[in-house]
Amino acid sequence: MLRRMARRVREGDDPLDAAQERRGRAVLALGGVPQADLPDGVQQVRLRLLERAAKGDEAPRDVSAWAAVVASNFAMDWHRAKRRQERVGERLASLRQLEHPSGEDTSVLSMAVAQGLDELPDQQRQVLVLRFFADLPVRSIAHELGIPEGTVKSRLHTAVRALRDRLHEDEVV
């Protein structure tokens, strides 16, 4: 089955047939993946099929069911990533909005954040500013910078951790 799929791909055919793609989309949608992210989910299913064929792994007994499981896993991963990004956003928002900051507290925090941003490597600072100050989603940042979404997420994670450590080190927060 996978060899036949690999041959179809070499010939320019889609590794997913129309029914498998519809089923994958349905699983993704029922899993709570927004309409705008469904094409990415379907592409992930295709990618997993191609990776499996390229490795020469044995074909699953039911490719359609296997593809549905891959789509379901993508939906769970999508939600995990969304929750992580929301937590990071909440933490940064809490840094910006202390309960009743005096003018002096706000200036100290602003100066510490600015200094912390200056100390970040350019690529980390760029994605941090685009994500949390320009309020761009990860997908848009990746598209605009021409890098994978995973790279954006990795840089964001590293930048937020470094900035947080810096603010704790300076006893600002």
Side-chain angles (χ1 to χ4, degrees):
M1 173 68 114
L2 285 177
R3 286 190 182 119
R4 187 174 44 218
M5 185 186 320
R7 187 173 356 95
R8 284 181 20 203
V9 169
R10 281 192 300 271
E11 294 169 358
D13 290 338
D14 193 340
L16 287 179
D17 65 28
Q20 292 165 339
E21 182 172 342
R22 279 193 307 276
R23 185 175 189 188
R25 281 183 182 277
V27 168
L28 291 164
L30 290 171
V33 175
Q35 194 72 25
D37 291 337
L38 292 181
D40 286 343
V42 172
Q43 285 300 89
Q44 285 299 318
V45 173
R46 280 188 180 93
L47 178 63
R48 296 293 182 270
L49 284 169
L50 293 172
E51 287 172 344
R52 190 173 176 125
K55 285 192 274 182
D57 289 348
E58 188 175 313
R61 283 186 23 215
D62 183 350
V63 174
S64 184
W66 182 85
V69 169
V70 172
S72 176
N73 288 339
F74 177 86
M76 289 189 308
D77 291 344
W78 184 90
H79 286 288
R80 284 185 197 117
K82 182 180 175 196
R83 281 192 302 272
R84 269 193 308 272
Q85 289 300 323
E86 287 170 352
R87 285 192 305 265
V88 169
E90 288 167 3
R91 284 186 225 135
L92 280 175
S94 72
L95 289 175
R96 285 186 248 149
Q97 299 172 345
L98 297 175
E99 288 199 25
H100 298 289
S102 68
E104 185 176 317
D105 289 342
T106 304
S107 342
V108 169
L109 179 60
S110 295
M111 287 176 35
V113 169
Q115 189 174 19
L117 285 171
D118 285 343
E119 293 173 2
L120 290 174
D122 292 341
Q123 293 175 331
Q124 290 176 13
R125 180 176 52 252
Q126 181 182 36
V127 296
L128 189 78
V129 168
L130 290 173
R131 177 67 185 103
F132 297 108
F133 293 96
D135 202 29
L136 292 178
V138 170
R139 170 176 283 145
S140 295
I141 295 169
H143 178 74
E144 293 301 321
L145 298 179
I147 58 176
E149 286 183 42
T151 301
V152 172
K153 292 174 185 177
S154 174
R155 289 178 186 171
L156 275 172
H157 175 78
T158 304
V160 167
R161 184 176 29 188
L163 187 57
R164 182 188 61 229
D165 291 348
R166 167 64 191 222
L167 294 175
H168 283 293
E169 183 181 294
D170 291 347
E171 297 180 3
V172 175
V173 290

